[in-house]
């Protein structure tokens, strides 16, 4: 593995022959079949486990299932329908999260994602010789304007995406000019970064940050530019790179940590994303960490990387606090809370070196439904930070003290936000003079009944066996007019009153 440097989504060095590449594909297909079979069994057991151990997860799972079904409903326009269909195939979770966005941004973000997926597919295809791949990466930002561009690379759904890329281009070319310019600029910068790292190993923490910037930080920067260009958020988001980059780095480092085993066992050559300056303190070669005899060192190495990732969380909190539009907030918040939940699950967990560790589906569903505002976001971060605290063992882990300091700083920020947001909500409730809709409807039915009674007084008396003219006409007239005025006022309150 030391002879192959892995960068972006690929590796340095190529299979020695077409037969080697073909053999690698066969092995990958067999592994894919086995994984699919195992996943199916695990899904069944997972559902049963949820019902038995986490009954509170059932409702969130049902609701998220409905969200997933909604994401599968395709637009009528055929090219746009293809984009959302292939999005569901290459990333089911992102297809659900993107539904949080307003229509103004949803198509642009969908195309943005698919453009970068296509770029990633080229970089990831080991069958493309490096001398051919480099110019493709550097020039791909120009291809996205070519209505006829398509290519044969990738596997499964990615192969389909590349073969049908003109459909993505057709949608891209219909986007507003500011959106097209943002997507093209980020694609250009990312392609250049991938080309730079395709023959460069991730040696230092600076390399690690730079690599993550190219493959994820730029995504955050691009999204911020889209928010500003849409005018749904402040123009200050345009060109805001520090906090946007941190959002991407936090997510990317989490994925790299979690996917160690899958990456290191990749064929025909392993992917090595963990920085040498870190793993070399714990093993002679990066792939040594997967072996049982090196388990303690492997966990300590992983914990050091988790600690590094946690340092980005403070900038993530600052970024989220700037977002005002609710749909953009949910879109950004959900992956961030998922990331810290994943770090909490991975920390000190030997299973990372036995397979891919994931948070349970029920918890994932709960997170999706509880990222609606800054209070819920900070509460989620605080909850998982607290889980991390209970896992840290400073006496056994050489990075334990540093980890605790990072968590303490995060918890301090979370506590401050929770206190401020709770006070805001309290003040809003005190100042809110509107009646709940349920109360308004109850009053409407009561005064509706009184209105009917007042205008049918004579019939009511007759039904009770009393002379229908027994009442004072002036009092009856007053009741009719009073009931009418009250009923009109209550009806207006129901229709145009403040909702809460």
């Amino acid at each position: 593995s030391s002879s192959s440097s892995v960068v972006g989504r690929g590796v340095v060095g190529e299979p020695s022959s077409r037969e080697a590449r073909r053999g690698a594909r066969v092995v990958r297909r067999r592994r894919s079949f086995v994984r699919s079979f195992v996943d199916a069994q695990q899904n069944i057991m997972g559902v049963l486990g949820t019902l038995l151990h986490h009954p509170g997860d059932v409702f969130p799972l049902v609701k998220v299932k409905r969200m997933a079904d909604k994401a599968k409903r395709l637009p009528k326009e055929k090219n746009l329908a293809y984009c959302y269909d292939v999005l569901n195939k290459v990333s089911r979770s992102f297809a659900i999260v993107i539904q949080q966005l307003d229509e103004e941004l949803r198509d642009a973000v969908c195309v943005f994602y698919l453009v970068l997926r296509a770029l990633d597919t080229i970089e990831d295809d080991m069958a493309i010789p490096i001398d051919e791949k480099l110019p493709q990466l550097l020039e791909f930002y120009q291809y996205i304007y070519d209505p006829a561009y398509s290519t044969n690379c990738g596997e499964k759904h990615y192969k389909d995406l590349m073969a049908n890329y003109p459909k993505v281009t057709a949608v891209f070319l219909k986007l507003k000019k500011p959106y097209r310019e943002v997507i093209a600029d980020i694609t250009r910068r990312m392609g250049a970064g991938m080309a730079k790292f395709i023959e460069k190993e991730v040696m230092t923490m600076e390399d690690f940050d730079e690599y993550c910037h190219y493959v994820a930080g730029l995504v955050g920067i691009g999204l911020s530019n889209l928010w500003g260009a849409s005018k749904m958020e402040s123009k200050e988001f345009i060109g805001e790179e520090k906090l946007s980059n941190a959002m991407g780095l936090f997510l990317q480092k989490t994925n790299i940590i979690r996917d160690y085993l899958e990456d290191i066992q990749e064929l025909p050559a392993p992917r090595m994303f963990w920085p040498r300056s870190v793993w070399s303190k714990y093993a002679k070669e990066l792939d040594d960490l997967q072996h049982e005899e090196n388990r303690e060192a492997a966990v300590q190495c992983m914990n050091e990387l988790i600690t590094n990732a946690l340092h980005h969380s403070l900038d993530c909190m600052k970024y989220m606090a700037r977002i005002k539009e609710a749909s953009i907030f949910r879109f950004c918040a959900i992956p961030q809370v998922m990331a810290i939940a994943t770090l909490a699950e991975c920390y000190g967990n030997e299973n990372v070196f036995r397979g891919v560790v994931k948070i349970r589906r029920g918890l994932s569903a709960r997170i999706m439904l509880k990222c609606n505002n800054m209070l819920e976001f900070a509460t989620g971060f605080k909850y998982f930070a607290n889980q991390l605290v209970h896992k840290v063992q400073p006496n056994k882990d050489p990075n334990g003290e540093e980890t605790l300091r990072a968590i303490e700083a995060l918890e301090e920020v979370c506590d401050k936000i929770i206190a401020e947001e709770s006070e805001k909500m309290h003040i809003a409730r005190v100042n809110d003079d509107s009646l709940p809709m349920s109360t308004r409807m109850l009053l409407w039915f009561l005064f509706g009944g009184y209105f009917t009674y007042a205008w049918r007084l004579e019939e009511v008396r007759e039904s009770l066996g009393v002379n229908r003219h027994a009442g004072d006409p002036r009092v009856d007239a007053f009741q009719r007019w009073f009931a009418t005025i009250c009923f009109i006022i209550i009806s207006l309150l129901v229709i145009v009153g403040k909702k809460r």
Side-chain angles (χ1 to χ4, degrees), residues 237-490:
F237 275 87
I238 299 176
E240 201 302 303
E241 300 209 351
K242 180 178 181 293
L243 301 182
S244 305
N245 186 60
M247 293 279 283
L249 264 61
F250 188 61
L251 300 182
Q252 184 65 18
K253 289 183 177 182
T254 298
N255 291 338
I256 288 174
I257 292 165
R258 180 197 63 193
D259 296 340
Y260 164 82
L261 192 66
E262 183 178 296
D263 290 334
I264 209 68
Q265 293 181 347
E266 180 68 21
L267 294 173
R271 299 172 176 176
M272 297 188 294
F273 301 118
W274 288 21
R276 180 181 287 271
S277 63
V278 174
W279 63 256
S280 61
K281 294 187 288 185
Y282 302 92
K284 291 182 178 180
E285 300 293 345
L286 180 56
D287 60 1
D288 290 344
L289 297 177
Q290 66 182 302
H291 303 307
E292 197 70 33
E293 62 270 19
N294 300 320
R295 191 64 72 234
E296 183 178 353
V299 170
Q300 290 178 357
C301 180
M302 174 182 64
N303 290 348
E304 181 173 345
L305 291 176
I306 290 176
T307 302
N308 172 263
L310 286 171
H311 288 304
H312 299 296
S313 62
L314 300 182
D315 281 340
C316 294
M317 303 299 288
K318 292 177 184 176
Y319 182 93
M320 294 304 302
R322 293 187 178 187
I323 299 176
K324 306 302 179 187
E325 209 283 323
S327 67
I328 294 176
F329 186 93
R330 288 193 296 271
F331 174 85
C332 295
I334 291 170
Q336 297 294 321
V337 180
M338 293 279 196
I340 193 168
T342 301
L343 292 179
E345 187 70 25
C346 289
Y347 189 90
N349 190 344
E350 295 183 357
N351 290 325
V352 172
F353 302 94
R354 299 188 181 110
V356 176
V357 171
K358 296 181 180 180
I359 59 177
R360 72 175 194 275
R361 287 188 177 183
L363 180 57
S364 176
R366 284 172 179 259
I367 291 171
M368 282 191 171
L369 301 177
K370 278 289 186 180
C371 285
N372 299 301
N373 51 56
M374 200 62 197
L375 176 60
E376 292 182 353
F377 180 75
T379 301
F381 259 66
K382 174 69 184 293
Y383 175 80
F384 292 111
N386 188 56
Q387 283 195 348
L388 276 164
V389 166
H390 289 89
K391 288 187 172 185
V392 179
Q393 297 179 305
N395 296 332
K396 294 183 178 180
D397 194 311
N399 303 288
E401 293 293 344
E402 176 65 20
T403 308
L404 288 176
R405 283 193 292 271
I407 297 171
E408 183 180 356
L410 175 59
E411 287 188 316
E412 185 177 335
V413 172
C414 289
D415 288 337
K416 182 180 179 181
I417 292 173
I418 291 169
E420 290 175 350
E421 294 299 316
S422 298
E423 180 64 19
K424 287 180 185 177
M425 292 184 70
H426 174 70
I427 293 172
R429 282 196 296 267
V430 170
N431 294 335
D432 187 2
D433 57 358
S434 65
L435 290 172
M437 180 57 75
S438 57
T439 303
R440 281 183 266 172
M441 290 304 297
L442 176 60
L443 290 173
W444 188 83
F445 279 113
L446 289 174
F447 278 96
Y450 178 51
F451 173 81
T452 303
Y453 163 78
W455 283 91
R456 301 181 65 182
L457 274 172
E458 293 178 350
E459 295 176 23
V460 171
R461 292 188 186 115
E462 194 171 33
S463 68
L464 294 173
V466 179
N467 185 342
R468 59 186 297 152
H469 302 295
D472 186 331
R474 289 173 298 180
V475 174
D476 289 353
F478 173 79
Q479 284 206 77
R480 291 189 186 98
W481 286 109
F482 179 74
T484 300
I485 292 170
C486 289
F487 185 64
I488 291 172
I489 292 172
I490 293 298

Side-chain angles (χ1 to χ4, degrees), residues 110-207:
C110 175
V111 171
F112 185 36
Y113 182 88
L114 293 177
V115 167
L116 298 185
R117 270 294 186 182
L119 177 64
D120 182 76
T121 300
I122 293 172
E123 201 273 348
D124 200 29
D125 193 331
M126 295 298 99
I128 304 175
I130 289 179
D131 59 346
E132 294 179 19
K133 184 180 293 187
L134 285 172
Q136 289 188 48
L137 294 174
L138 293 170
E139 297 169 10
F140 189 77
Y141 76 99
Q142 297 174 345
Y143 301 161
I144 67 177
Y145 285 96
D146 181 359
Y149 172 78
S150 66
T151 187
N152 181 26
C153 68
E155 295 182 352
K156 298 181 181 178
H157 302 310
Y158 302 101
K159 188 180 184 69
D160 177 73
L161 169 64
M162 303 309 292
N164 290 282
Y165 197 78
K167 296 178 181 179
V168 179
T169 304
V171 179
F172 169 76
L173 294 175
K174 289 182 180 179
L175 295 176
K176 293 178 181 179
K177 185 179 178 181
Y179 297 161
R180 296 199 305 270
E181 290 175 345
V182 169
I183 293 171
D185 176 60
I186 296 300
T187 305
R188 176 185 61 81
R189 294 167 67 180
M190 185 176 290
M194 287 179 169
K196 176 180 179 179
F197 268 88
I198 203 164
E199 293 186 283
K200 177 182 177 182
E201 182 180 357
V202 180
M203 296 290 292
T204 65
M205 290 304 296
E206 288 74 21
D207 290 340

Side-chain angles (χ1 to χ4, degrees), residues 437 440 489-499:
M437 180 57 75
R440 281 183 266 172
I489 292 172
I490 293 298
S491 297
L492 289 173
L493 181 64
V494 170
I495 296 169
V496 301
K498 289 192 292 183
K499 304 292 189 295

